[in-house]
Amino acid sequence: MTTIADRVRQGRIDAGLSQTALAGGAFSPSYISLIEAGRREPTDAALAVLAARMGSTVEFLKFGADGPNEARTRLEVDFAKLDVKSGAAASARERISRLDLDRVTHALKVEALLTLARAHEGLGDLESAVAILEPLLVDAQARGHHLDAAGVATGLVASYLEAGDLHRSIEVGERVVLDLERAGLSGTDEHLRLASTLLWAYVERGDLLYATHRASELVRQADELGTPRGRGSVYWNAALVAEQRRDYDLAQRYTERALALLDGGEVSRDVPRLRLNYAWLLLRSDPAEPVEALRQLDLATPDLNASGSEVELARVDVERSRAHLVMGYTDDAERCARAALVRLGDQPRLEKAVAQLALGDALHTRGDIVASGEAYKWAADMLGMMSASRQSAAAWRELGDRLLGNRDIAGAAEAFDRALREAGFRPSIPTALLEAWSAFPTS
């Protein structure tokens, strides 16, 4: 857009306004028409009124993206985006926080705030991320900008999901998905990305059957209408649903399709994370494929070193440990498991329990039963500090299998019981019956 006329016309369209609505009581619709035709040069006072109604600025309408405030803010937002992608979330937060967003166009302000929300997410400050995203969603919906609303809603669904608020996560996601479908926007990248992100909320809520049904619908929709990026997002999330059903063959096929669609596109953290998950699946296929798993981990590591988190890199070490163990290289398996534990530090977390399991497996395979038992005990202590989830239930189940193999029957029974409880299976024996049992003498 090279002229004021072009920018006023495009700004009005982006704001969803007719010429009459933009004119309001201050101007006549014919005056707006003359401006857009390039036959009238509006005064700064007139531009101020028009800019306020369109969510723009006088500077932008006069100079476009070359205006000093717009250009400087755009540069800082672009740098902040790079910071987020490279894992420097704190730097991104500081960049955006220093900007005066009231002096730039509405579109650039929204872009800056979305970047700030992603920075908060990267720092684990989900409350601040949600405080930014909720008003942005309301604003996008009020303007009738369905695709923008979908982008914001995807971030909200993920934030609420990570915070454990499954009800709000699903409520937001389903409402915006329905809006997109009513607007005839099914199959767009924004629709597919939001709907596939929502699948994980269903899984976490325990609706695995419905998640499977929705995944099948989305795969069909993506194949018919989606771009490679949109289809890749659907296949990846459908793979995670299949993985939860323990259908590793289907999960592997979906992941391979996702990689084929997403690899070679724009630089993204998605591809190395997808390779990491693919390696996980390869080590659980029948038979396991440790050589290919190590190759995928090697491909993922450079990008994760540049933009991944220590948790993701620790997951790489754990999967390397498992691959080496399958191949019979116990020393390498132990070394990788210990490297994962060093990366994870002293804070209790589920990933640390999983790394202790990998270390225990390496030690047990080498014949050091005492040391492996200590590693498994560490894993149990760590899991005991975690809140209940499907992931913690799976880790308790794996620990139970190890303890059973270590002939720790009592420990295995306790681990299996914790797995059942955290998966949602609570004791159902009446208290009176338990008391009656306890009254019987034992031999």
Side-chain angles (χ1 to χ4, degrees):
M1 295 180 290
T2 58
T3 68
I4 292 177
D6 295 328
R7 289 188 283 274
V8 169
R9 183 188 311 109
Q10 190 60 51
R12 176 180 61 78
I13 293 170
D14 290 343
L17 299 172
S18 66
Q19 289 183 340
T20 301
L22 179 58
F27 312 105
S28 67
S30 61
Y31 178 65
I32 302 299
S33 178
L34 289 170
I35 291 174
E36 293 187 0
R39 296 167 60 188
R40 286 290 186 277
E41 185 78 17
T43 65
D44 284 359
L47 285 176
V49 174
L50 298 177
R53 290 179 180 170
M54 293 187 295
S56 186
T57 64
V58 173
E59 178 189 283
F60 181 80
L61 292 179
K62 291 180 72 173
F63 306 111
D66 295 329
N69 288 323
E70 196 80 7
R72 183 168 56 250
T73 302
R74 162 62 60 193
L75 183 63
E76 286 298 310
V77 170
D78 287 344
F79 275 126
K81 287 180 178 179
L82 290 173
D83 285 338
V84 170
K85 284 184 178 181
S86 65
S91 175
R93 182 183 60 186
E94 291 304 312
R95 283 185 187 277
I96 301 297
S97 298
R98 289 195 299 263
L99 298 175
D100 182 358
L101 298 178
D102 290 331
R103 302 179 65 188
V104 297
T105 57
H106 180 77
L108 183 54
K109 180 178 181 178
V110 169
E111 192 174 342
L113 289 174
L114 284 172
T115 305
L116 180 59
R118 294 186 186 107
H120 284 308
E121 290 169 6
L123 294 168
D125 187 357
L126 300 175
E127 185 176 346
S128 294
V130 166
I132 292 170
L133 294 173
E134 282 282 9
L136 287 180
L137 179 60
V138 172
D139 178 72
Q141 290 176 318
R143 292 170 178 269
H145 293 178
H146 297 294
L147 296 179
D148 291 343
V152 175
T154 299
L156 270 175
V157 167
S159 291
Y160 279 124
L161 181 59
E162 189 172 344
D165 190 345
L166 297 180
H167 175 77
R168 182 60 179 160
S169 178
I170 292 171
E171 179 186 38
V172 168
E174 287 185 336
R175 187 176 73 240
V176 178
V177 164
L178 184 60
D179 288 344
L180 288 166
E181 291 171 351
R182 285 173 173 169
L185 295 170
S186 298
T188 58
D189 279 1
E190 292 81 359
H191 170 260
L192 294 175
R193 186 162 178 250
L194 173 57
S196 58
T197 302
L198 193 53
L199 290 177
W200 196 244
Y202 295 135
V203 171
E204 284 296 298
R205 194 173 65 178
D207 293 340
L208 194 53
L209 183 61
Y210 183 63
T212 302
H213 166 69
R214 281 292 290 152
S216 298
E217 284 187 334
L218 288 172
V219 166
R220 177 185 55 77
Q221 232 173 13
D223 284 341
E224 291 176 358
L225 304 169
T227 65
R229 179 174 173 268
R231 291 165 61 202
S233 178
V234 169
Y235 278 125
W236 186 2
N237 284 278
L240 294 175
V241 174
E243 181 185 307
Q244 288 297 307
R245 292 169 45 223
R246 302 292 189 267
D247 189 344
Y248 294 136
D249 288 340
L250 180 60
Q252 187 171 326
R253 290 199 298 274
Y254 278 155
T255 304
E256 288 167 352
R257 292 182 191 178
L259 267 176
L261 289 163
L262 295 175
D263 194 18
E266 63 180 23
V267 177
S268 168
R269 287 183 63 190
D270 288 346
V271 172
R273 290 164 61 206
L274 190 54
R275 290 193 184 281
L276 173 55
N277 201 63
Y278 188 33
W280 189 96
L281 289 167
L282 289 167
L283 292 171
R284 285 152 185 82
S285 61
D286 188 17
E289 301 180 52
V291 175
E292 178 60 19
L294 286 172
R295 189 179 80 86
Q296 291 296 329
L297 294 171
D298 286 342
L299 290 171
T301 298
D303 288 332
L304 290 176
N305 277 329
S307 62
S309 67
E310 286 299 300
V311 172
E312 288 170 328
L313 290 167
R315 283 191 60 205
V316 169
D317 289 330
V318 167
E319 297 312 315
R320 285 189 193 280
S321 175
R322 286 175 169 156
H324 287 309
L325 197 61
V326 171
M327 298 167 71
Y329 305 141
T330 54
D331 288 344
D332 289 335
E334 180 183 350
R335 174 179 53 78
C336 290
R338 292 191 185 281
L341 289 168
V342 170
R343 284 190 187 278
L344 292 168
D346 297 328
Q347 293 298 316
R349 57 190 314 141
L350 181 62
E351 291 82 6
K352 194 166 184 181
V354 173
Q356 287 285 1
L357 288 178
L359 176 60
D361 292 347
L363 294 169
H364 188 278
T365 303
R366 201 172 62 193
D368 195 341
I369 306 302
V370 174
S372 70
E374 290 175 354
Y376 294 146
K377 183 180 182 303
W378 270 103
D381 291 342
M382 197 66 59
L383 286 172
M385 302 179 193
M386 304 292 105
S387 57
S389 67
R390 293 179 66 89
Q391 288 74 27
S392 65
W396 277 114
R397 166 60 199 272
E398 287 196 19
L399 176 60
D401 290 337
R402 268 68 165 191
L403 294 175
L404 195 61
N406 244 13
R407 301 184 183 279
D408 182 355
I409 306 302
E414 182 179 352
F416 289 141
D417 180 64
R418 288 293 296 268
L420 288 169
R421 288 171 182 267
E422 299 199 5
F425 295 93
R426 302 295 180 183
S428 59
I429 300 172
T431 303
L433 183 56
L434 288 172
E435 292 173 350
W437 282 347
S438 65
F440 282 100
T442 57
S443 57

